[in-house]
Amino acid sequence: MKIVYTVQALREEVKRAKKEGKSVGLVPTMGFLHEGHVSLMNAAREQTDFVVVSIFVNPTQFGPNEDLESYPRDFERDSRRCEDASVDIIFHPSVEEMYKGRYSTYVTCEGEITKVLCGASRPEHFKGVTSVVAKLFNMVAPNKAFFGQKDAQQVAVIEKMVRELDFDLEIVPCPIVREVDGLALSSRNTYLSDTERKEALVLSNALKHAEMRILDGERNAERIISEMRAIIESAPSAEIDYVEIVSAQTLESVKELSGDTLIAMAVKIGKPRLIDNLRIMI
Amino acid sequence: MKIVYTVQALREEVKRAKKEGKSVGLVPTMGFLHEGHVSLMNAAREQTDFVVVSIFVNPTQFGPNEDLESYPRDFERDSRRCEDASVDIIFHPSVEEMYKGRYSTYVTCEGEITKVLCGASRPEHFKGVTSVVAKLFNMVAPNKAFFGQKDAQQVAVIEKMVRELDFDLEIVPCPIVREVDGLALSSRNTYLSDTERKEALVLSNALKHAEMRILDGERNAERIISEMRAIIESAPSAEIDYVEIVSAQTLESVKELSGDTLIAMAVKIGKPRLIDNLRIMI
């Protein structure tokens, strides 16, 4: 495994691999890697010949009052995890390497897809995501890029960007990885106190409840959401940002559940804002 | 020469050429090809092995009151010109092929570079340009892309986009091609009446005057601009949008001329809005 810090060094490594006829898989991350990230690397390892993991805490996707400064970082541990997952290249650029000089070029999905759910309370977030991902796509030109389904809206937005800007690659969404008790893995779980860690289970519990109700035949979104909110609000430190049921493709909210459906939420548990979701075909 | 109408067919042709080890040159155009475009094709022919010309009147770079509907089109003649210039592929997509469904993804250079000169009176223009050019770059993945220096600001904006979004290709700006009397070639010259055609010479005459004054040692931008305006205003049908002297790299206006300098103007002569410029190293 090699660690490279510049776009030029990255390009040289990727080009060498391509010359050898290897297909290239890209796993974009912000580091502080957990088993969710490892599952992406494993998928990349299985589906492509040469695996690039980028580790970059991207400032442009954080809002002014968000946790850019305190976002957890541990590059030593991250690089061991990548090594263990047989990654070929870690790309670990500085902010200056990514955003040189008077940087001002951004890729924006302007549709409703970036304004709902997390986009409502994080208005600039997806613009930062699509821009940095477009840059990584141009640097690596991967055959496939791997993203966690935990960030369901991110996957939908990036798939739209790939389709509309005609990137010649395939997005591979990978399933959410959870702790045994149900908590979705997230780098931000590290912020949770012991009490909050227990209370954070209301997110996955609310999703399990929704799934059960749907299996029972419930199709009314308002009723399901209201029951989910009650479960979440049973945790003293929970502060709901949103609980919504939307079409998984367009992210438009639905009244009666049918077809490819996404149940998504963002909830502050103490300091950290956690997200979780369930995608279900009805 | 082949003519293709879909992204998929374009990709197949380009991929076959690349497999044969050929380098690829892209010449993006809006059609109604003149000798200026032919010079771009010739440059592409000389510098790359496989030449793709796109012909697409891109609606997203026209403002609401601009000439999208009346923009001149003659695909038959265009394809003969491409054939004569030994082009390999014409890509001639429909608007629907380029902007499918509820299209909403755009690439924007947000800096001053898109707000000055033509950007001041055409606020959405460069966003349309960078977005469609990013799409074409992703479709073709050319080694080099060829643009006319007549659209000097467009070249500067696209170079900034390529640098900042890390497109792996080289922009080749090509010199302005002029009629023998000095008028810069433009598809929009076709709008000019006989009288207006004569009056349109004030643009290139003003640039010639500026060049002469600079060779004489004049370095004061305000004085040069004021003399240029007087020349342009001598034409009864001329209506100046702007005459400016800026740094060629940043497009920031300068008071005293030095270094890499761009003298640029946009002037309505009757109906059409014409642009012209001179890039000069001082």
Side-chain angles (χ1 to χ4, degrees):
Chain A
M1 189 184 74
K2 274 194 189 168
I3 301 171
V4 297
Y5 300 90
T6 66
V7 179
Q8 200 192 328
L10 173 64
R11 279 220 168 100
E12 282 166 15
E13 295 296 335
V14 172
K15 280 187 180 166
R16 187 176 310 143
K18 285 185 180 171
K19 261 198 184 143
E20 292 166 7
K22 290 178 177 166
S23 63
V24 176
L26 172 66
V27 183
T29 83
M30 299 213 301
F32 213 71
L33 305 175
H34 51 62
E35 288 304 310
H37 298 107
V38 172
S39 77
L40 301 178
M41 298 177 205
N42 291 340
R45 190 73 279 164
E46 277 165 33
Q47 297 183 36
T48 58
D49 305 319
F50 189 83
V51 177
V52 179
V53 173
S54 64
I55 297 182
F56 178 60
V57 181
N58 175 36
T60 71
Q61 70 192 67
F62 288 80
N65 298 314
E66 292 181 4
D67 58 346
L68 171 60
E69 293 308 316
S70 62
Y71 195 86
R73 293 157 167 91
D74 187 342
F75 185 69
E76 289 303 309
R77 201 183 62 178
D78 286 349
S79 51
R80 283 196 302 276
R81 293 219 136 182
C82 289
E83 182 101 54
D84 291 346
S86 303
V87 163
D88 295 287
I89 298 282
I90 297 178
F91 176 51
H92 185 48
S94 65
V95 173
E96 294 66 35
E97 176 68 11
M98 291 294 276
Y99 300 110
K100 289 193 185 85
R102 287 190 285 178
Y103 189 94
S104 73
T105 306
Y106 295 95
V107 177
T108 316
C109 283
E110 295 182 357
E112 280 302 299
I113 199 169
T114 59
K115 299 190 176 77
V116 296
L117 307 181
C118 290
S121 58
R122 308 185 74 189
E124 296 286 287
H125 173 65
F126 289 108
K127 174 178 158 182
V129 169
T130 43
S131 299
V132 78
V133 169
K135 283 168 67 68
L136 291 168
F137 286 173
N138 283 343
M139 290 170 190
V140 175
N143 300 85
K144 297 187 179 193
F146 300 79
F147 292 88
Q149 186 61 34
K150 180 167 147 285
D151 300 297
Q153 187 173 13
Q154 175 173 280
V155 171
V157 170
I158 289 172
E159 282 179 337
K160 185 172 165 71
M161 174 186 78
V162 165
R163 219 161 45 233
E164 298 197 338
L165 285 190
D166 303 283
F167 281 101
D168 191 16
L169 54 86
E170 186 189 334
I171 299 300
V172 183
C174 299
I176 298 178
V177 178
R178 298 179 180 281
E179 307 274 8
V180 282
D181 61 5
L183 183 68
L185 296 194
S186 164
S187 306
R188 289 190 171 97
N189 291 349
T190 188
Y191 296 135
L192 295 167
S193 70
D194 288 353
T195 320
E196 287 164 353
R197 170 66 185 77
K198 281 170 204 140
E199 293 189 12
L201 285 182
V202 292
L203 281 84
S204 51
N205 285 341
L207 289 171
K208 279 180 212 158
H209 176 78
E211 186 174 21
M212 195 193 68
R213 296 285 283 115
I214 291 165
L215 294 175
D216 282 353
E218 181 63 77
R219 294 293 178 268
N220 182 287
E222 205 178 305
R223 269 198 295 275
I224 297 171
I225 290 172
S226 127
E227 292 167 19
M228 292 175 70
R229 295 185 73 105
I231 293 170
I232 297 165
E233 283 163 352
S234 73
S237 59
E239 193 189 311
I240 294 175
D241 178 355
Y242 66 83
V243 179
E244 290 197 41
I245 303 183
V246 299
S247 151
Q249 305 282 343
T250 63
L251 305 192
E252 283 169 350
S253 71
V254 298
K255 290 190 166 162
E256 292 292 313
L257 279 65
S258 76
D260 192 1
T261 302
L262 180 73
I263 308 178
M265 61 177 72
V267 179
K268 280 187 84 166
I269 301 286
K271 202 177 65 167
R273 179 180 174 280
L274 305 180
I275 59 175
D276 201 348
N277 70 79
L278 170 71
R279 188 166 173 174
I280 187 166
M281 186 64 72
I282 295 164
Chain B
M1 188 184 76
K2 274 194 188 168
I3 302 171
V4 298
Y5 301 90
T6 67
V7 179
Q8 200 193 328
L10 172 64
R11 280 219 168 102
E12 283 166 14
E13 295 295 334
V14 172
K15 280 188 179 164
R16 187 176 310 143
K18 286 185 180 171
K19 261 197 185 144
E20 292 167 7
K22 289 178 178 165
S23 64
V24 176
L26 172 66
V27 182
T29 82
M30 299 214 298
F32 213 71
L33 306 175
H34 51 63
E35 288 304 311
H37 299 108
V38 171
S39 77
L40 301 178
M41 298 176 204
N42 290 341
R45 188 75 277 164
E46 276 165 33
Q47 298 184 37
T48 59
D49 305 321
F50 188 82
V51 177
V52 178
V53 173
S54 64
I55 297 182
F56 178 61
V57 181
N58 176 35
T60 69
Q61 69 193 69
F62 287 80
N65 298 313
E66 292 180 5
D67 58 345
L68 171 61
E69 293 308 316
S70 62
Y71 195 85
R73 292 157 167 95
D74 187 343
F75 186 68
E76 289 302 310
R77 202 183 63 178
D78 286 350
S79 51
R80 283 196 302 277
R81 292 218 137 183
C82 289
E83 182 101 56
D84 291 347
S86 303
V87 163
D88 294 287
I89 298 282
I90 297 178
F91 176 50
H92 185 47
S94 65
V95 173
E96 294 67 34
E97 177 69 10
M98 292 292 277
Y99 300 109
K100 288 193 185 86
R102 288 190 285 178
Y103 188 95
S104 73
T105 307
Y106 295 95
V107 177
T108 316
C109 282
E110 296 182 357
E112 279 301 299
I113 199 170
T114 59
K115 297 190 176 77
V116 296
L117 306 182
C118 290
S121 59
R122 308 185 75 189
E124 296 286 287
H125 173 66
F126 289 108
K127 174 178 159 183
V129 170
T130 43
S131 299
V132 79
V133 169
K135 283 168 69 67
L136 291 168
F137 286 173
N138 283 343
M139 291 170 191
V140 176
N143 300 85
K144 297 187 179 192
F146 300 80
F147 292 88
Q149 187 60 34
K150 180 167 148 282
D151 300 296
Q153 187 173 12
Q154 174 174 279
V155 170
V157 170
I158 289 172
E159 282 179 338
K160 185 172 166 72
M161 174 185 79
V162 164
R163 217 161 47 232
E164 298 198 337
L165 287 189
D166 303 283
F167 282 100
D168 190 16
L169 55 87
E170 185 189 333
I171 299 298
V172 183
C174 299
I176 298 177
V177 179
R178 299 178 179 281
E179 306 274 8
V180 282
D181 62 4
L183 182 68
L185 295 194
S186 165
S187 305
R188 289 191 171 97
N189 290 349
T190 188
Y191 296 136
L192 296 167
S193 70
D194 287 354
T195 319
E196 287 164 354
R197 169 69 185 75
K198 279 170 206 142
E199 293 190 11
L201 285 182
V202 292
L203 281 85
S204 52
N205 285 342
L207 289 171
K208 278 180 214 159
H209 176 78
E211 186 173 22
M212 194 192 68
R213 296 285 283 116
I214 291 165
L215 295 176
D216 281 353
E218 180 64 76
R219 294 292 178 268
N220 182 288
E222 204 178 307
R223 269 199 294 274
I224 297 172
I225 290 171
S226 127
E227 291 167 19
M228 290 175 72
R229 294 186 74 105
I231 292 170
I232 297 165
E233 283 162 353
S234 73
S237 59
E239 192 188 313
I240 294 174
D241 177 356
Y242 66 83
V243 180
E244 290 196 42
I245 302 183
V246 299
S247 152
Q249 305 281 344
T250 63
L251 306 191
E252 284 169 348
S253 70
V254 297
K255 289 190 166 163
E256 291 292 313
L257 280 65
S258 76
D260 192 0
T261 302
L262 180 73
I263 308 177
M265 61 176 73
V267 179
K268 281 188 83 167
I269 301 286
K271 202 176 64 167
R273 177 180 175 283
L274 304 180
I275 59 176
D276 201 350
N277 70 78
L278 170 72
R279 189 165 172 174
I280 187 166
M281 187 63 72
I282 293 164

